[in-house]
Amino acid sequence: MSRISTALLLSALSCTSVVHAQSTKPGLWEINQKMGGNAEMDKAMAQMQQQMAGMSAAEKKMMQDMMAKQGMSMPAAGAGGGMAMKVCITPEMAAKQDMPVQTEGDCTTTVTSRSANTLKMNFVCKNPPSSGEGTYTFSGDTAYTMTMLMKSTNKGKPVSSTLDGQGKWLSASCGAVKPLK
């Protein structure tokens, strides 16, 4: 995966997890996200899935275990692509209506509007430089969908990408998944 693709993916993951939710239930959450509109990112994701498909069973398990330690997994090729991760929302985060925060990307998020079940936000990231806007639609305190438009540059040229995702509450116990700081 190219350096810019990796950085853009980390930026996207960072921004989607920094949102202040309407109301979220504490416990283990699964977040699935898929990027689109960026040919380089689509190609890099396909290459990563192809490389995993070509690994021996032991190599694949080692890679999956490394990703699992970070609460992440990648769907198998043909499963729609994208990334899946599990995150832990503590009772304190839920009380403050905070979603987990990842530090990669050095991003600032601003909530621009809230309604009964919708939250709109803008973000600006310094590393790599990017910006965008997103909309989260909540289905109670146990699920949401989101869509995001991101803008960045690659080799001096503007790049636009989309990120679609959903989050769902899995259980009251986070098990081995530690809360993000």
Side-chain angles (χ1 to χ4, degrees):
M1 187 181 291
S2 75
R3 190 175 146 272
I4 189 72
S5 297
T6 302
L8 188 58
L9 181 60
L10 287 174
S11 245
L13 294 175
S14 298
C15 292
T16 60
S17 59
V18 82
V19 168
H20 296 273
Q22 303 300 82
S23 173
T24 53
K25 194 169 185 174
L28 185 64
W29 281 72
E30 180 177 77
I31 299 172
N32 292 286
Q33 302 174 32
K34 182 174 181 182
M35 290 194 77
N38 182 326
E40 184 176 340
M41 182 63 73
D42 292 343
K43 182 180 174 184
M45 194 62 86
Q47 285 176 336
M48 184 186 283
Q49 288 177 334
Q50 186 177 26
Q51 288 172 348
M52 286 202 51
M55 291 180 181
S56 69
E59 290 171 323
K60 193 178 290 186
K61 180 165 178 18
M62 186 171 72
M63 177 66 82
Q64 290 169 336
D65 288 348
M66 283 179 13
M67 292 177 80
K69 284 181 183 177
Q70 297 177 16
M72 300 174 74
S73 65
M74 185 182 322
M83 293 291 290
M85 64 181 165
K86 292 184 179 168
V87 297
C88 181
I89 295 181
T90 65
E92 294 79 20
M93 291 169 149
K96 292 190 299 183
Q97 297 184 343
D98 283 350
M99 293 292 281
V101 176
Q102 283 183 292
T103 57
E104 293 93 2
D106 192 13
C107 300
T108 302
T109 302
T110 304
V111 174
T112 58
S113 71
R114 291 179 189 252
S115 69
N117 70 335
T118 304
L119 177 139
K120 294 186 179 195
M121 50 76 78
N122 292 329
F123 68 90
V124 176
C125 297
K126 294 179 183 174
N127 183 23
S130 59
S131 63
E133 56 190 38
T135 301
Y136 287 73
T137 304
F138 296 89
S139 301
D141 63 355
T142 59
Y144 69 85
T145 59
M146 69 88 171
T147 184
M148 192 169 293
L149 174 63
M150 300 172 293
K151 298 176 182 175
S152 62
T153 58
N154 184 11
K155 299 176 185 170
K157 295 181 182 176
V159 176
S160 291
S161 302
T162 59
L163 184 69
D164 293 306
Q166 55 273 319
K168 66 179 178 178
W169 183 84
L170 299 176
S171 71
S173 170
C174 292
V177 177
K178 302 290 182 218
L180 297 171
K181 306 253 180 204

